[in-house]
Amino acid sequence: MSEPETVDGASPERVAALTENLAAARQRLGDAARDAGRDPAEVELLVVTKFHPASDVVALVELGCRSFGESREPEAGRKAAAVRAAVDEPIRVDMIGTVQRRKATSVARWADRVHSLDRDAVADALARGVETAREDGDRDSPLDVLVQINLDGDPNRGGVVLDDLGALADHVAGLDGLRLRGSMVIAPQSHTPAHWMEQAAAAHARLVAAHPDATEFSAGMSGDLEDAVRHGSTCVRVGTAILGDRPLRSP
Ligand SMILES: *Cc1c(COP(=O)(O)O)cnc(C)c1O
């Protein structure tokens, strides 16, 4: 693989904005957990840095963040490598965007966890990618995966429809190299977030009944994290509330 790119420092203004936004997001998450009678430590804050430059990710590491979400290859892999080379702290970088089968091999090299698995064929490709990455010395552990639930059947959102969730989960659980850890959901815009989070939580509960180790429930974004936490989210994926609007093009 090529050398990681070097990362410039973020400007003082940018660091100040990230500091303020991050504090507000942590406060919101803490309040949401306490309102739901939950321990805030039970809910991971995954900072979604897609489309934002590696300098922002490095600044966020310096502010104490350790888990990041990215959504597109090859931008994601390049950025993960650049940030890992630039910081001393171990960080986790998760893939939260739809994985294309032909990019599964590269995703398996850098991702700590994939939130967005939605097809048997992609699961197979990721499992093969893990094997290759192990042979090449690029990874030494299985890949944690969440199956993405599609609640309203809209193919643009990605995910597996509820009727097929059980079969996909069983398939993933049978693959060497992958570890089925739970489910992920993106709430559709129609209806209230509470409506969708309730349905997602019910689907997640069915998954856990069949696969007791698959307890992670990745739900909630900038706009609906309170509803997600109320319905049992163990990981909220927050982008805009911390980094601001995404640039239209990736850097
Ligand atoms: C972009 C993205 C997010 C972050 O959304 P915000 O509204 O910016 O917080 C969360 N989850 C997924 C799957 C995404 O693609």
Side-chain angles (χ1 to χ4, degrees), residues 48 50 71 96-97 184 186 220-223 237-241 246:
V48 176
K50 65 185 184 198
S71 74
I96 63 171
M184 184 274 255
I186 302 173
M221 325 203 308
S222 293
R237 309 175 307 270
V238 180
T240 313
R246 284 179 276 277

Side-chain angles (χ1 to χ4, degrees), residues 166-188:
L168 175 61
D170 292 347
H171 183 79
V172 172
L175 291 173
D176 282 340
L178 303 189
R179 226 165 18 196
L180 177 67
R181 300 309 301 265
S183 69
M184 184 274 255
V185 71
I186 302 173

Side-chain angles (χ1 to χ4, degrees), residues 24-40:
R26 284 179 170 150
Q27 177 79 42
R28 252 181 90 190
L29 182 54
D31 289 347
R34 282 181 291 271
D35 284 352
R38 301 181 59 196
D39 178 355

Side-chain angles (χ1 to χ4, degrees), residues 99-101 104 116-127 175 178:
V99 181
Q100 292 168 282
R101 186 156 51 147
S116 38
L117 188 70
D118 61 1
R119 273 175 294 153
D120 285 2
V122 172
D124 295 342
L126 281 172
L175 291 173
L178 303 189

Side-chain angles (χ1 to χ4, degrees), residues 104-250:
T105 308
S106 45
V107 171
R109 287 186 197 281
W110 60 262
D112 286 296
R113 181 168 59 170
V114 171
H115 291 229
S116 38
L117 188 70
D118 61 1
R119 273 175 294 153
D120 285 2
V122 172
D124 295 342
L126 281 172
R128 283 193 303 271
V130 167
E131 191 60 42
T132 308
R134 277 179 155 157
E135 285 163 12
D136 295 348
D138 285 338
R139 80 177 299 131
D140 56 10
S141 54
L143 176 62
D144 287 339
V145 299
L146 310 180
V147 284
Q148 182 182 346
I149 303 170
N150 184 320
L151 290 172
D152 67 347
D154 177 352
N156 294 322
R157 218 179 318 279
V160 62
V161 294
L162 290 176
D163 282 350
D164 299 336
L165 176 63
L168 175 61
D170 292 347
H171 183 79
V172 172
L175 291 173
D176 282 340
L178 303 189
R179 226 165 18 196
L180 177 67
R181 300 309 301 265
S183 69
M184 184 274 255
V185 71
I186 302 173
Q189 296 297 311
S190 61
H191 290 287
T192 58
H195 166 88
W196 293 119
M197 289 303 170
E198 191 178 326
Q199 295 210 3
H204 178 72
R206 290 194 294 275
L207 173 72
V208 177
H211 299 276
D213 294 333
T215 52
E216 294 179 9
F217 181 38
S218 169
M221 325 203 308
S222 293
D224 59 6
L225 71 85
E226 284 82 2
D227 287 295
V229 168
R230 201 170 304 125
H231 286 91
S233 171
T234 61
C235 174
V236 294
R237 309 175 307 270
V238 180
T240 313
I242 296 172
L243 288 115
D245 289 334
R246 284 179 276 277
L248 291 177
R249 292 160 51 83
S250 46

